[in-house]
Amino acid sequence: MTTSKSTQWTTFQTPACQVDFSDSKLQGRMNQLWNTNLSGFTRQGITGNPWTATNSSDQTWYFDPTTTDTSEGGYASITWSPVPGRIKYYFPNISNPDMWSLADTGYDTNGVTFGRISADPCDPSDTSKIPYGPYGPRGWQDEYCEWSITRNADNQIVRIDFTCENPEYWNTLWMVSPQRVVELYRETLDKPQIALEDLYLRDVSGAPVIDASTGRPAYDPLNKWNRGTASTASAGGAMHLTSTPNTLQTEIGLGSTATTPRTSGNSNAETLICCAQYGQIGRNSDPHIGQAVNQTVTPPNPVVPSARATIANPPGLYIQKPDFGMITAPRGIDPSTFWTVKRGRETLTDPQGRELPGNFILHAVFEVPAELGFTISDLEVEGVPVQWAAQIAQTFNMQIAAMALPQQPGPAAQACAGSPAVPFAQALQLFHTPVFEAMLATPIANPVGQPMNLASNSTMIAPQIEPGAQRRPMTLVVTGLLDPPQLPTISFGPGVHVFGGTMRPVTYAIPGNTYPSTSYALSLLVSVDSDAAPGLRDVTVTNPGQAPQAAVPALLNVVDPVAKDMV
């Protein structure tokens, strides 16, 4: 059932209902693209994984809030600390200064990076070790909040930028207007020196890579102004999330997977996450979020009715206001005056007039005004002098707002997720080939020195193609192939034709994953009939000798040429 626009949002709203264009046409285009992307992510989450996993599909107790009557829905706040919980989880004897230093820089107070950790913490019998991840310039900040730190010549902290903005939003914004993206970078980071060209994705020769979705240079999500945790006048900053698990599509996937009741029960968050195989054990976020959602669908108290659940519209991960009582400033100055919300808002009301729980802050700056004559390094948090930004991060929480719709009876519990005896081919991502090749060829440095490339910071946004396009080079990344691998059959449905097909193994972290894995990249030529229907297309990938399985939702976006010209 769908309610009227006067009582609910019938499209996915931008995070915190953010409006980044004064031009109504451009904002309308942004809203349209955002709704398309989020609708696709939601279908992907509900579909789950029927190809290469067992007991992980048809997650229909997660619902789409734009197509469901939410008038009887209730909101709930799920919160956690932004300080990386896995540091203390794997290194329980670490001192607080070393933990704060690792959270800030990837190195402890002696300049030593993370040690090796269990390859499978859910399996106590597995004694193998791997380098601590996620990899990346601030990959270890994996609680859906990342920060960059500005220090003065005396190494005192003068500014901290905290962001929880998802990369999908900024990629969508770039598709609408690169010029607006660079303006927002300058305004938010207070760096007028940022140039549009600084944000371009470049190939191995240094030339900008043209994205066939727009006909313009593609966006580099790890450009020099959104990289690492040190911010200076010449590089660095935290504009949006970059740790590979920190994506909104992943959060929707976690939420949908967590709605499946498990035979393991849900009284223990770690047991549940190992059973359901979503997220990473040891985080402050994933185990807690998954348990909270699962207990909504299958309450521990049988008196409480079961419910369907979703991430409340507008979907996002949000910073909460700090507990300023934890912070002491010289001369008794109120530390709340050092906190500035750059993007997002403190409160949000839905179309029914109901206030959503918590704050909806997307980017905040903590900075002592220069005229006061002291810096953040002169503050104390709970009586301890501030030397690291992580100490300030400890004063606030992160949040997702969830929604539940009471419904009886509840779903039957399923066994733990596992691996099928015979997997089926599964599409993972689709790219315009020049974009994929440039990202794959761009190495990314990280403290633990593990091989990583920029493809790990791509997104699941469906690439666009217009009706009438002929033999457009595209790359489809797949898994679940036969052993030895054989070229599968690929179908995007009526009006879309696939030619050619060579494949090779590629290694990167599929967006949302903590660690890189090896998949297969299929090089294709894609044509679209001139009268093909516009909209998101699902893709079916079928191994030789196997029956076609369910299609993977929303991997290609056939866009009307008029709409594409607006981008």
Side-chain angles (χ1 to χ4, degrees), residues 382-447:
E382 296 188 309
V384 179
V386 174
Q387 293 181 268
W388 296 274
Q391 293 171 264
I392 302 298
Q394 284 189 158
T395 68
F396 65 84
N397 281 328
M398 298 297 300
Q399 173 193 267
I400 61 168
M403 173 175 273
L405 287 175
Q407 187 163 322
Q408 291 281 18
Q414 293 193 34
C416 293
S419 299
V422 179
F424 295 98
Q426 177 187 6
L428 299 174
Q429 268 188 290
L430 183 68
F431 298 83
H432 288 295
T433 295
V435 173
F436 178 71
E437 294 297 341
M439 289 188 130
L440 196 69
T442 302
I444 301 299
N446 54 87

Side-chain angles (χ1 to χ4, degrees), residues 69-87:
D69 183 351
T70 61
S71 59
E72 301 300 320
Y75 291 112
S77 172
I78 303 174
T79 62
W80 64 93
S81 171
V83 179
R86 292 169 71 247
I87 299 177

Side-chain angles (χ1 to χ4, degrees), residues 30-111:
M30 179 68 195
N31 294 344
Q32 176 191 8
L33 272 175
W34 186 248
N35 181 63
T36 296
N37 294 336
L38 268 289
S39 296
F41 297 162
T42 301
R43 285 205 294 125
Q44 289 168 359
I46 293 172
T47 300
N49 180 4
W51 307 279
T52 59
T54 58
N55 304 315
S56 293
S57 60
D58 297 323
Q59 294 158 165
T60 55
W61 281 73
Y62 186 90
F63 67 89
D64 183 335
T66 69
T67 59
T68 305
D69 183 351
T70 61
S71 59
E72 301 300 320
Y75 291 112
S77 172
I78 303 174
T79 62
W80 64 93
S81 171
V83 179
R86 292 169 71 247
I87 299 177
K88 280 280 190 179
Y89 179 85
Y90 285 108
F91 313 111
N93 298 321
I94 194 173
S95 68
N96 281 335
D98 280 334
M99 186 270 290
W100 293 326
S101 182
L102 279 168
D104 271 15
T105 69
Y107 300 90
D108 66 17
T109 56
N110 294 311

Side-chain angles (χ1 to χ4, degrees), residues 205-224:
S205 73
V209 176
I210 301 303
D211 182 0
S213 287
T214 62
R216 297 191 301 255
Y219 176 64
D220 181 353
L222 278 182
N223 63 80
K224 72 174 186 175

